[in-house]
Amino acid sequence: NFWNAAFFDKETSYLHFPTFHGELSADISFFFKTTSSSGVFLENLGIKDFIRIELTSTRVVFSFDVGNGPLEVKVESTVPLNDNRWHRVRAERNIKEASLRLDDLPVATQEAPADGHVHLQLNSQLFIGGTASRQRGFRGCIRALQLNGVTLDLEERAEMTPGVRPGCPGHCSSYGSLCQNQGRCVERAAGFHCDCSLSAYTGVFCQTELSASFKPGTSVRYTFKEPYELTRNSSALPSSIYSDTTLRGENVSMSFRTAQSPALLLYVGSYYREYMAVLINKHGEKASSLEVRYKLEGNRDAEVLRSSSIIAVVIFVVLTGLAVAARYLYRRKDTYRNQEGNAVKQEDSPDFPFNNQTDSQNLSSENPTEYFI
């Protein structure tokens, strides 16, 4: 019911419902969003009595007549109300007084006459988003409309009414800020949700941290089974994570918080004696740096990438295609040497195959898949 909404795209469009029965008391609440400066949200008429809620410039006006003459309750906003953001309205009326609340502004009240009529007698249809005269109609969205605790199904009625569409677009413009910790707001036909896939958080609003606290000497280990190793060892653990056979590179990102230096943050090793390590290295008493050490197959020594800045509270490590390019060049160089050893002369040809069929078969049996994580 909270996201049950209708979009009025013309001033002459409206929804109609059965007569509102609020003879002695009325409790009306809803949300609205518009780019227009005026319009009638709700109206129900009687022979002389009526009840109406409307927008006029920066004010919301709640007016009614039970036979004692029109009575108005107004709330003035300090900011424009046609800002295409959701605003909440709640209007109440009983035999003693009437009140009106707009967003978090102070409640406006108006006392009823001490002597006079108290029954609100209505007999026309209830108009939402317009009036019986089809003038001063509302353009925008209305949702979560409740009358005396009963939610009106705006979407169902909008599906059969010309000029009115069920649902309302643009929820992220009002509620996108609720997505925390780099969560991304994603629109839905009836609401929105926060996409937390690019953050280290989960929950409805990406508010719950996904993390672990490590004591000295402790770690978490994951096993990525490689296809060649699986063919030799069929008793692989069912909980193992099987790697993608088309993988040629990997991006690693993390955030951490520690008071320890030096410290190993991440280590990845492969079946081919390759590895990558992310660690904190200490330089003096106060200075530290973040280092990425990696070794590719065929390299005798490990390469080191060192950060030049002091470690901050949160550091994101992104490894790009540098290592993949180095591996490709190494493989290309090795293939060229194999072709020279087999007396295959390709000096006059500007292009030559990356590998011949024999080399491919040998490589397939010895090293079927290349990995770098």
Side-chain angles (χ1 to χ4, degrees):
N1 293 336
F2 187 76
W3 294 107
N4 191 297
F7 176 64
F8 304 83
D9 57 1
K10 297 179 181 179
E11 292 184 358
T12 56
S13 60
Y14 62 87
L15 297 178
H16 59 84
F17 291 86
T19 304
F20 172 54
H21 296 285
E23 287 80 4
L24 296 178
S25 64
D27 185 351
I28 305 171
S29 64
F30 60 90
F31 291 82
F32 76 90
K33 182 174 69 169
T34 183
T35 57
S36 300
S37 59
S38 62
V40 176
F41 300 120
L42 174 150
E43 182 183 81
N44 207 159
L45 304 178
I47 299 176
K48 291 184 178 179
D49 298 358
F50 73 89
I51 186 170
R52 183 185 299 118
I53 303 177
E54 59 186 314
L55 171 68
T56 59
S57 187
T58 57
R59 292 181 298 176
V60 173
V61 182
F62 173 38
S63 59
F64 60 92
D65 187 356
V66 296
N68 304 317
L71 185 67
E72 289 188 350
V73 186
K74 305 176 182 179
V75 175
E76 183 87 25
S77 175
T78 57
V79 297
L81 298 175
N82 59 343
D83 56 356
N84 203 30
R85 300 177 66 87
W86 287 111
H87 299 279
R88 187 173 190 268
V89 175
R90 182 168 185 177
E92 296 182 75
R93 177 255 165 191
N94 54 45
I95 61 175
K96 293 184 178 180
E97 65 177 11
S99 65
L100 179 64
R101 177 186 291 273
L102 173 63
D103 294 334
D104 295 327
L105 297 174
V107 181
T109 59
Q110 187 74 263
E111 291 185 358
D115 298 324
H117 301 282
V118 294
H119 288 81
L120 179 65
Q121 299 178 355
L122 307 173
N123 55 24
S124 73
Q125 290 182 322
L126 170 65
F127 291 87
I128 306 298
T131 64
S133 61
R134 298 191 179 183
Q135 296 179 354
R136 298 184 298 133
F138 172 74
R139 292 186 61 187
C141 294
I142 297 177
R143 69 173 173 86
L145 175 60
Q146 287 190 337
L147 280 74
N148 285 349
V150 178
T151 301
L152 300 187
D153 194 343
L154 302 177
E155 293 184 355
E156 181 184 35
R157 192 59 61 94
E159 289 178 352
M160 60 184 73
T161 305
V164 185
R165 288 182 287 173
C168 184
H171 299 298
C172 287
S173 61
S174 295
Y175 299 110
S177 59
L178 295 179
C179 298
Q180 307 171 27
N181 302 305
Q182 297 181 336
R184 184 173 62 91
C185 182
V186 179
E187 291 283 354
R188 284 180 174 173
F192 74 99
H193 81 277
C194 297
D195 181 7
C196 311
S197 60
L198 298 180
S199 69
Y201 293 82
T202 187
V204 178
F205 302 116
C206 307
Q207 77 281 5
T208 304
E209 186 178 18
L210 293 172
S211 62
S213 178
F214 294 89
K215 295 180 180 180
T218 62
S219 63
V220 174
R221 180 175 178 174
Y222 296 92
T223 301
F224 294 81
K225 291 293 184 181
E226 300 179 2
Y228 177 58
E229 187 178 1
L230 287 176
T231 59
R232 301 193 310 165
N233 182 15
S234 60
S235 60
L237 295 177
S239 60
S240 300
I241 304 174
Y242 295 90
S243 53
D244 187 357
T245 58
T246 62
L247 189 64
R248 289 297 181 270
E250 184 71 38
N251 291 331
V252 179
S253 64
M254 73 180 79
S255 60
F256 65 90
R257 181 176 60 191
T258 182
Q260 180 181 345
S261 178
L264 179 64
L265 301 178
L266 174 70
Y267 178 86
V268 180
S270 77
Y271 175 76
Y272 307 101
R273 297 182 180 180
E274 302 167 323
Y275 74 86
M276 180 193 67
V278 182
L279 60 138
I280 303 173
N281 205 352
K282 190 173 183 179
H283 302 282
E285 295 183 357
K286 297 183 179 180
S288 299
S289 65
L290 188 71
E291 292 185 0
V292 178
R293 299 191 178 192
Y294 64 94
K295 182 177 183 296
L296 301 179
E297 183 182 10
N299 292 356
R300 299 173 60 184
D301 301 320
E303 302 291 338
V304 179
L305 301 177
R306 181 179 292 111
S307 65
S308 59
S309 60
I310 303 300
I311 292 182
V313 176
V314 178
I315 298 179
F316 289 92
V317 181
V318 179
L319 304 179
T320 58
L322 177 62
V324 178
R327 185 182 184 88
Y328 171 77
L329 293 176
Y330 170 77
R331 289 294 183 189
R332 189 179 182 89
K333 182 178 180 181
D334 184 63
T335 303
Y336 181 70
R337 287 176 177 175
N338 291 338
Q339 291 175 341
E340 282 185 339
N342 294 331
V344 179
K345 298 182 180 181
Q346 300 288 350
E347 291 86 352
D348 298 332
S349 177
D351 299 319
F352 57 90
F354 179 76
N355 214 338
N356 56 34
Q357 185 175 1
T358 303
D359 290 339
S360 298
Q361 294 175 353
N362 294 336
L363 182 61
S364 177
S365 62
E366 297 176 1
N367 187 6
T369 307
E370 302 172 8
Y371 289 92
F372 179 78
I373 299 181

